[in-house]
Amino acid sequence: MQASSPENPSTFLNLSLEAPLLKAINTMGFETPTPVQSKAIPLALEYKDLLVSAETGSGKTAAFLLPTIQNLLSVHSDAIGTRALILAPTRELAQQIFIQCQQLIQFTELRVGIITGGDDFRLQQNMLRRNTEIVIATPGRLLELIEQQTPNFTRLETLILDEADRMLDMGFSEDVLSIANRCNAQRQTLLFSATLTHFGVIKMADKLLTNHEIVALNTLHDGHRNIEQQIIVADDIDHKQKLLAWLLLNDKYDKALIFTNSRVQADALRGPLRGQKLRVGVLHGEMDQKDRNRMMELYRSGSVNVMIATDLAARGLDIEGINLVINFDVPRNGINYIHRIGRTGRVDALGVTVMLVKSTEWNLMSGIERFLKQSFKRRTIKELEGHYKGPKKLKSSGKAAGVKKKETKKKDTTEKVKVRLRDKKNIGKRRTPATQKTTESTSNQAPNTDQ
Ligand code: ADP
Ligand code: MG
């Protein structure tokens, strides 16, 4: 990479690495640490748990290998068993890490081994029995070995998951968790991912990391998943419903997923959207499993292409073709937000997310922006512009402004909208007027959240 870039003044010398490592770095021709290396290495050297995201090619491998090797060097151990375990999704990737690790430990006494499918099982068992300090593995084969009782991870000092997002996409989630369960509970865990916009990565971080620090070097627009994140301000729930209908009738998407914070709200949205002739389904925790499965099937097959869901019900949802996610309610925190938007923007597709924000949700929304170190794209829909425009500049709590007056004005917009929507949608179509039911009152008086 670049020799000594002015925006990255740190050097490997002030990262507290020992001579054999510095010599190896030098031999490999690395002159200055990359940004992810400068950020992650000092934290990892303190045995902190880390969730790190940085784009492909940013030097993540050395960002976890260097501190791990340094920590192995600085603590003398006669421990039996593996001291550092690195999991990677594919053989090729494991091989790449293995080679870089060999280069980095070439002037030390440490040993590294690799365990991937397709290679000799016996040799791998032997390698593990020799107490090789660093082991790099793909999850599937490692589990087979674990079933034979060979590996001993009870004294493991560091567990690293590289390309966690890919590992999850490849269906390794369960395997990774059961491997982690066999490891020393006191270990350090480092989770690396090209992006945080993958709901599974955050979920896995919740399970495997303790008091972790997040090192996020890419914005959510970077990485493999291209998600365009928009917000539209709204006056109130009614206004939100109109915006929602407009988006579903006018934006392009294969499948749309709408999140609400409560099951009552999820149910309440269905009627009006069906009235718009949209193929709508609902998923929430109150429904029995059979109905949920049926809904998922309909959505998967495309018979239903608009799904309204609560967070809880959507947890297991992994469906191709979702390229529009609408947050009808602003989620309660940034992690929930990431879970939600992670359903779109799959590898080859462009995903769009829209969050509808009313005045009382503004602070929550800007908190999420701060959490993500990113600002969402403001979008307005001319036909449906409301009164609330976000807090007034220089006024920190512009809370009251949009709330009170909306009732009267809202009505006019409703009328305009109905006409407008019909005009647009009915081009070339026959339609009976007044199909739009105003509300399908919520038969479900269950508590407000979907716990
Ligand atoms: P990532 O895992 O983030 O996709 P890699 O760890 O595979 O990236 O690194 C990408 C390339 O950059 C590799 O060829 C690696 O050897 C090289 N590299 C890593 N760190 C440095 C550095 N500090 N200086 C120069 N090259 C580096
Ligand atoms: Mg990598």
PDB file of all heavy atoms in Angstrom, residues 1-2 12 28-34 37 54-62 96 100 162-163, ligand 1:
ATOM      1  N   MET A   1       0.813  -1.198   0.000  1.00  0.00           N
ATOM      2  CA  MET A   1       0.000   0.000   0.000  1.00  0.00           C
ATOM      3  C   MET A   1       0.854   1.259   0.000  1.00  0.00           C
ATOM      4  O   MET A   1       2.073   1.157  -0.021  1.00  0.00           O
ATOM      5  CB  MET A   1      -0.894   0.002   1.230  1.00  0.00           C
ATOM      6  CG  MET A   1      -2.284  -0.491   0.871  1.00  0.00           C
ATOM      7  SD  MET A   1      -3.203  -0.881   2.343  1.00  0.00           S
ATOM      8  CE  MET A   1      -4.147  -2.278   1.742  1.00  0.00           C
ATOM      9  N   GLN A   2       0.251   2.407   0.103  1.00  0.00           N
ATOM     10  CA  GLN A   2       1.010   3.652  -0.008  1.00  0.00           C
ATOM     11  C   GLN A   2       2.095   3.756   1.056  1.00  0.00           C
ATOM     12  O   GLN A   2       1.931   3.282   2.161  1.00  0.00           O
ATOM     13  CB  GLN A   2       0.072   4.866   0.066  1.00  0.00           C
ATOM     14  CG  GLN A   2      -0.491   5.174   1.441  1.00  0.00           C
ATOM     15  CD  GLN A   2      -1.749   4.387   1.706  1.00  0.00           C
ATOM     16  OE1 GLN A   2      -1.769   3.173   1.556  1.00  0.00           O
ATOM     17  NE2 GLN A   2      -2.791   5.061   2.114  1.00  0.00           N
ATOM     18  N   PHE A  12       4.561   1.730  12.383  1.00  0.00           N
ATOM     19  CA  PHE A  12       4.513   0.463  13.110  1.00  0.00           C
ATOM     20  C   PHE A  12       5.341   0.549  14.391  1.00  0.00           C
ATOM     21  O   PHE A  12       5.086  -0.160  15.347  1.00  0.00           O
ATOM     22  CB  PHE A  12       5.014  -0.676  12.217  1.00  0.00           C
ATOM     23  CG  PHE A  12       3.987  -1.116  11.208  1.00  0.00           C
ATOM     24  CD1 PHE A  12       4.149  -0.851   9.855  1.00  0.00           C
ATOM     25  CD2 PHE A  12       2.847  -1.795  11.610  1.00  0.00           C
ATOM     26  CE1 PHE A  12       3.189  -1.257   8.930  1.00  0.00           C
ATOM     27  CE2 PHE A  12       1.887  -2.209  10.697  1.00  0.00           C
ATOM     28  CZ  PHE A  12       2.056  -1.937   9.349  1.00  0.00           C
ATOM     29  N   MET A  28       8.225  -7.813   4.702  1.00  0.00           N
ATOM     30  CA  MET A  28       7.036  -7.895   3.845  1.00  0.00           C
ATOM     31  C   MET A  28       6.807  -6.602   3.067  1.00  0.00           C
ATOM     32  O   MET A  28       5.915  -6.539   2.220  1.00  0.00           O
ATOM     33  CB  MET A  28       5.797  -8.194   4.697  1.00  0.00           C
ATOM     34  CG  MET A  28       5.810  -9.604   5.246  1.00  0.00           C
ATOM     35  SD  MET A  28       4.606  -9.801   6.562  1.00  0.00           S
ATOM     36  CE  MET A  28       3.103  -9.901   5.615  1.00  0.00           C
ATOM     37  N   GLY A  29       7.559  -5.569   3.424  1.00  0.00           N
ATOM     38  CA  GLY A  29       7.445  -4.310   2.680  1.00  0.00           C
ATOM     39  C   GLY A  29       6.319  -3.399   3.163  1.00  0.00           C
ATOM     40  O   GLY A  29       5.958  -2.442   2.479  1.00  0.00           O
ATOM     41  N   PHE A  30       5.760  -3.677   4.336  1.00  0.00           N
ATOM     42  CA  PHE A  30       4.750  -2.772   4.892  1.00  0.00           C
ATOM     43  C   PHE A  30       5.482  -1.598   5.527  1.00  0.00           C
ATOM     44  O   PHE A  30       6.311  -1.790   6.406  1.00  0.00           O
ATOM     45  CB  PHE A  30       3.917  -3.447   5.993  1.00  0.00           C
ATOM     46  CG  PHE A  30       3.025  -4.575   5.541  1.00  0.00           C
ATOM     47  CD1 PHE A  30       3.030  -5.033   4.225  1.00  0.00           C
ATOM     48  CD2 PHE A  30       2.165  -5.192   6.451  1.00  0.00           C
ATOM     49  CE1 PHE A  30       2.204  -6.073   3.821  1.00  0.00           C
ATOM     50  CE2 PHE A  30       1.336  -6.237   6.054  1.00  0.00           C
ATOM     51  CZ  PHE A  30       1.355  -6.685   4.746  1.00  0.00           C
ATOM     52  N   GLU A  31       5.164  -0.376   5.104  1.00  0.00           N
ATOM     53  CA  GLU A  31       5.868   0.771   5.673  1.00  0.00           C
ATOM     54  C   GLU A  31       5.090   1.476   6.775  1.00  0.00           C
ATOM     55  O   GLU A  31       5.623   1.794   7.829  1.00  0.00           O
ATOM     56  CB  GLU A  31       6.244   1.753   4.573  1.00  0.00           C
ATOM     57  CG  GLU A  31       7.339   1.169   3.694  1.00  0.00           C
ATOM     58  CD  GLU A  31       7.677   2.028   2.512  1.00  0.00           C
ATOM     59  OE1 GLU A  31       7.338   3.224   2.531  1.00  0.00           O
ATOM     60  OE2 GLU A  31       8.267   1.492   1.569  1.00  0.00           O
ATOM     61  N   THR A  32       3.818   1.731   6.493  1.00  0.00           N
ATOM     62  CA  THR A  32       2.993   2.370   7.543  1.00  0.00           C
ATOM     63  C   THR A  32       1.727   1.536   7.729  1.00  0.00           C
ATOM     64  O   THR A  32       1.257   0.881   6.803  1.00  0.00           O
ATOM     65  CB  THR A  32       2.544   3.792   7.129  1.00  0.00           C
ATOM     66  OG1 THR A  32       2.010   3.719   5.819  1.00  0.00           O
ATOM     67  CG2 THR A  32       3.687   4.772   7.169  1.00  0.00           C
ATOM     68  N   PRO A  33       1.184   1.587   8.940  1.00  0.00           N
ATOM     69  CA  PRO A  33      -0.064   0.842   9.162  1.00  0.00           C
ATOM     70  C   PRO A  33      -1.210   1.475   8.376  1.00  0.00           C
ATOM     71  O   PRO A  33      -1.232   2.692   8.202  1.00  0.00           O
ATOM     72  CB  PRO A  33      -0.322   0.996  10.663  1.00  0.00           C
ATOM     73  CG  PRO A  33       0.802   1.774  11.233  1.00  0.00           C
ATOM     74  CD  PRO A  33       1.642   2.300  10.136  1.00  0.00           C
ATOM     75  N   THR A  34      -2.113   0.675   7.946  1.00  0.00           N
ATOM     76  CA  THR A  34      -3.313   1.209   7.290  1.00  0.00           C
ATOM     77  C   THR A  34      -4.236   1.750   8.396  1.00  0.00           C
ATOM     78  O   THR A  34      -4.043   1.418   9.572  1.00  0.00           O
ATOM     79  CB  THR A  34      -4.045   0.106   6.505  1.00  0.00           C
ATOM     80  OG1 THR A  34      -4.529  -0.862   7.434  1.00  0.00           O
ATOM     81  CG2 THR A  34      -3.129  -0.560   5.488  1.00  0.00           C
ATOM     82  N   GLN A  37      -5.541  -0.758  10.763  1.00  0.00           N
ATOM     83  CA  GLN A  37      -4.475  -1.294  11.616  1.00  0.00           C
ATOM     84  C   GLN A  37      -4.150  -0.315  12.752  1.00  0.00           C
ATOM     85  O   GLN A  37      -4.032  -0.722  13.910  1.00  0.00           O
ATOM     86  CB  GLN A  37      -3.235  -1.606  10.763  1.00  0.00           C
ATOM     87  CG  GLN A  37      -3.472  -2.795   9.827  1.00  0.00           C
ATOM     88  CD  GLN A  37      -2.465  -2.921   8.687  1.00  0.00           C
ATOM     89  OE1 GLN A  37      -1.511  -2.144   8.585  1.00  0.00           O
ATOM     90  NE2 GLN A  37      -2.675  -3.892   7.818  1.00  0.00           N
ATOM     91  N   ALA A  54     -14.239  -2.655   8.035  1.00  0.00           N
ATOM     92  CA  ALA A  54     -13.462  -1.825   7.116  1.00  0.00           C
ATOM     93  C   ALA A  54     -13.530  -2.526   5.773  1.00  0.00           C
ATOM     94  O   ALA A  54     -13.667  -3.748   5.710  1.00  0.00           O
ATOM     95  CB  ALA A  54     -12.017  -1.708   7.572  1.00  0.00           C
ATOM     96  N   GLU A  55     -13.447  -1.727   4.734  1.00  0.00           N
ATOM     97  CA  GLU A  55     -13.725  -2.336   3.439  1.00  0.00           C
ATOM     98  C   GLU A  55     -12.638  -3.325   2.994  1.00  0.00           C
ATOM     99  O   GLU A  55     -11.555  -3.381   3.578  1.00  0.00           O
ATOM    100  CB  GLU A  55     -13.917  -1.258   2.379  1.00  0.00           C
ATOM    101  CG  GLU A  55     -12.726  -0.361   2.202  1.00  0.00           C
ATOM    102  CD  GLU A  55     -13.145   0.977   1.609  1.00  0.00           C
ATOM    103  OE1 GLU A  55     -13.757   0.956   0.529  1.00  0.00           O
ATOM    104  OE2 GLU A  55     -12.869   1.992   2.218  1.00  0.00           O
ATOM    105  N   THR A  56     -12.949  -4.070   1.973  1.00  0.00           N
ATOM    106  CA  THR A  56     -12.047  -5.065   1.437  1.00  0.00           C
ATOM    107  C   THR A  56     -10.750  -4.406   0.986  1.00  0.00           C
ATOM    108  O   THR A  56     -10.776  -3.334   0.395  1.00  0.00           O
ATOM    109  CB  THR A  56     -12.718  -5.768   0.233  1.00  0.00           C
ATOM    110  OG1 THR A  56     -13.972  -6.264   0.691  1.00  0.00           O
ATOM    111  CG2 THR A  56     -11.879  -6.898  -0.284  1.00  0.00           C
ATOM    112  N   GLY A  57      -9.653  -5.060   1.281  1.00  0.00           N
ATOM    113  CA  GLY A  57      -8.362  -4.544   0.835  1.00  0.00           C
ATOM    114  C   GLY A  57      -7.775  -3.496   1.761  1.00  0.00           C
ATOM    115  O   GLY A  57      -6.790  -2.841   1.439  1.00  0.00           O
ATOM    116  N   SER A  58      -8.365  -3.335   2.952  1.00  0.00           N
ATOM    117  CA  SER A  58      -7.880  -2.288   3.844  1.00  0.00           C
ATOM    118  C   SER A  58      -6.851  -2.807   4.856  1.00  0.00           C
ATOM    119  O   SER A  58      -6.428  -2.066   5.734  1.00  0.00           O
ATOM    120  CB  SER A  58      -9.049  -1.628   4.561  1.00  0.00           C
ATOM    121  OG  SER A  58      -9.822  -2.589   5.235  1.00  0.00           O
ATOM    122  N   GLY A  59      -6.479  -4.065   4.744  1.00  0.00           N
ATOM    123  CA  GLY A  59      -5.434  -4.593   5.631  1.00  0.00           C
ATOM    124  C   GLY A  59      -5.953  -5.175   6.930  1.00  0.00           C
ATOM    125  O   GLY A  59      -5.276  -5.155   7.953  1.00  0.00           O
ATOM    126  N   LYS A  60      -7.134  -5.760   6.875  1.00  0.00           N
ATOM    127  CA  LYS A  60      -7.720  -6.307   8.101  1.00  0.00           C
ATOM    128  C   LYS A  60      -6.933  -7.513   8.629  1.00  0.00           C
ATOM    129  O   LYS A  60      -6.860  -7.725   9.826  1.00  0.00           O
ATOM    130  CB  LYS A  60      -9.192  -6.681   7.867  1.00  0.00           C
ATOM    131  CG  LYS A  60     -10.083  -5.459   7.645  1.00  0.00           C
ATOM    132  CD  LYS A  60     -11.561  -5.796   7.697  1.00  0.00           C
ATOM    133  CE  LYS A  60     -12.045  -6.560   6.481  1.00  0.00           C
ATOM    134  NZ  LYS A  60     -11.950  -5.786   5.223  1.00  0.00           N
ATOM    135  N   THR A  61      -6.367  -8.283   7.717  1.00  0.00           N
ATOM    136  CA  THR A  61      -5.665  -9.495   8.161  1.00  0.00           C
ATOM    137  C   THR A  61      -4.557  -9.146   9.153  1.00  0.00           C
ATOM    138  O   THR A  61      -4.495  -9.700  10.261  1.00  0.00           O
ATOM    139  CB  THR A  61      -5.061 -10.255   6.957  1.00  0.00           C
ATOM    140  OG1 THR A  61      -6.014 -10.231   5.899  1.00  0.00           O
ATOM    141  CG2 THR A  61      -4.712 -11.670   7.305  1.00  0.00           C
ATOM    142  N   ALA A  62      -3.693  -8.194   8.759  1.00  0.00           N
ATOM    143  CA  ALA A  62      -2.616  -7.806   9.681  1.00  0.00           C
ATOM    144  C   ALA A  62      -3.180  -7.085  10.895  1.00  0.00           C
ATOM    145  O   ALA A  62      -2.585  -7.122  11.971  1.00  0.00           O
ATOM    146  CB  ALA A  62      -1.595  -6.934   8.960  1.00  0.00           C
ATOM    147  N   GLN A  96      -4.938 -17.793   2.640  1.00  0.00           N
ATOM    148  CA  GLN A  96      -4.341 -16.461   2.550  1.00  0.00           C
ATOM    149  C   GLN A  96      -3.883 -15.959   3.926  1.00  0.00           C
ATOM    150  O   GLN A  96      -2.803 -15.404   4.058  1.00  0.00           O
ATOM    151  CB  GLN A  96      -5.421 -15.494   2.066  1.00  0.00           C
ATOM    152  CG  GLN A  96      -5.075 -14.704   0.824  1.00  0.00           C
ATOM    153  CD  GLN A  96      -6.340 -14.016   0.325  1.00  0.00           C
ATOM    154  OE1 GLN A  96      -7.099 -14.581  -0.460  1.00  0.00           O
ATOM    155  NE2 GLN A  96      -6.599 -12.825   0.824  1.00  0.00           N
ATOM    156  N   GLN A 100       0.008 -15.205   5.304  1.00  0.00           N
ATOM    157  CA  GLN A 100       0.412 -13.942   5.935  1.00  0.00           C
ATOM    158  C   GLN A 100       0.902 -14.178   7.369  1.00  0.00           C
ATOM    159  O   GLN A 100       1.846 -13.547   7.825  1.00  0.00           O
ATOM    160  CB  GLN A 100      -0.732 -12.927   5.914  1.00  0.00           C
ATOM    161  CG  GLN A 100      -0.195 -11.544   6.188  1.00  0.00           C
ATOM    162  CD  GLN A 100      -1.175 -10.411   5.900  1.00  0.00           C
ATOM    163  OE1 GLN A 100      -1.272  -9.497   6.683  1.00  0.00           O
ATOM    164  NE2 GLN A 100      -1.891 -10.474   4.799  1.00  0.00           N
ATOM    165  N   ASP A 162     -12.978 -13.889  10.940  1.00  0.00           N
ATOM    166  CA  ASP A 162     -12.708 -12.999   9.812  1.00  0.00           C
ATOM    167  C   ASP A 162     -13.845 -13.131   8.807  1.00  0.00           C
ATOM    168  O   ASP A 162     -14.412 -14.214   8.641  1.00  0.00           O
ATOM    169  CB  ASP A 162     -11.371 -13.371   9.151  1.00  0.00           C
ATOM    170  CG  ASP A 162     -10.935 -12.298   8.148  1.00  0.00           C
ATOM    171  OD1 ASP A 162     -11.378 -11.135   8.278  1.00  0.00           O
ATOM    172  OD2 ASP A 162     -10.153 -12.614   7.230  1.00  0.00           O
ATOM    173  N   GLU A 163     -14.172 -12.042   8.149  1.00  0.00           N
ATOM    174  CA  GLU A 163     -15.272 -12.024   7.184  1.00  0.00           C
ATOM    175  C   GLU A 163     -16.532 -12.635   7.785  1.00  0.00           C
ATOM    176  O   GLU A 163     -17.154 -13.533   7.209  1.00  0.00           O
ATOM    177  CB  GLU A 163     -14.871 -12.759   5.902  1.00  0.00           C
ATOM    178  CG  GLU A 163     -13.621 -12.163   5.281  1.00  0.00           C
ATOM    179  CD  GLU A 163     -13.737 -11.930   3.785  1.00  0.00           C
ATOM    180  OE1 GLU A 163     -14.822 -12.122   3.230  1.00  0.00           O
ATOM    181  OE2 GLU A 163     -12.723 -11.547   3.197  1.00  0.00           O
TER     182      GLU A 163
HETATM  183  P1  ADP B   1      -8.686  -7.074   3.861  1.00  0.00           P
HETATM  184  O1  ADP B   1      -8.680  -8.276   4.720  1.00  0.00           O
HETATM  185  O2  ADP B   1      -9.067  -5.835   4.582  1.00  0.00           O
HETATM  186  O3  ADP B   1      -9.485  -7.256   2.607  1.00  0.00           O
HETATM  187  P2  ADP B   1      -5.933  -7.741   3.458  1.00  0.00           P
HETATM  188  O4  ADP B   1      -5.552  -7.954   4.869  1.00  0.00           O
HETATM  189  O5  ADP B   1      -6.141  -8.944   2.618  1.00  0.00           O
HETATM  190  O6  ADP B   1      -7.209  -6.795   3.354  1.00  0.00           O
HETATM  191  O7  ADP B   1      -4.832  -6.779   2.823  1.00  0.00           O
HETATM  192  C1  ADP B   1      -4.857  -6.351   1.487  1.00  0.00           C
HETATM  193  C2  ADP B   1      -3.465  -6.233   0.928  1.00  0.00           C
HETATM  194  O8  ADP B   1      -2.776  -5.173   1.558  1.00  0.00           O
HETATM  195  C3  ADP B   1      -2.628  -7.470   1.160  1.00  0.00           C
HETATM  196  O9  ADP B   1      -1.923  -7.747  -0.013  1.00  0.00           O
HETATM  197  C4  ADP B   1      -1.699  -7.085   2.272  1.00  0.00           C
HETATM  198  O10 ADP B   1      -0.488  -7.782   2.201  1.00  0.00           O
HETATM  199  C5  ADP B   1      -1.516  -5.611   2.043  1.00  0.00           C
HETATM  200  N1  ADP B   1      -1.243  -4.856   3.277  1.00  0.00           N
HETATM  201  C6  ADP B   1      -1.831  -5.013   4.466  1.00  0.00           C
HETATM  202  N2  ADP B   1      -1.359  -4.126   5.350  1.00  0.00           N
HETATM  203  C7  ADP B   1      -0.450  -3.368   4.703  1.00  0.00           C
HETATM  204  C8  ADP B   1       0.395  -2.263   5.083  1.00  0.00           C
HETATM  205  N3  ADP B   1       0.356  -1.762   6.300  1.00  0.00           N
HETATM  206  N4  ADP B   1       1.216  -1.752   4.152  1.00  0.00           N
HETATM  207  C9  ADP B   1       1.224  -2.252   2.907  1.00  0.00           C
HETATM  208  N5  ADP B   1       0.474  -3.274   2.488  1.00  0.00           N
HETATM  209  C10 ADP B   1      -0.358  -3.839   3.360  1.00  0.00           C
END
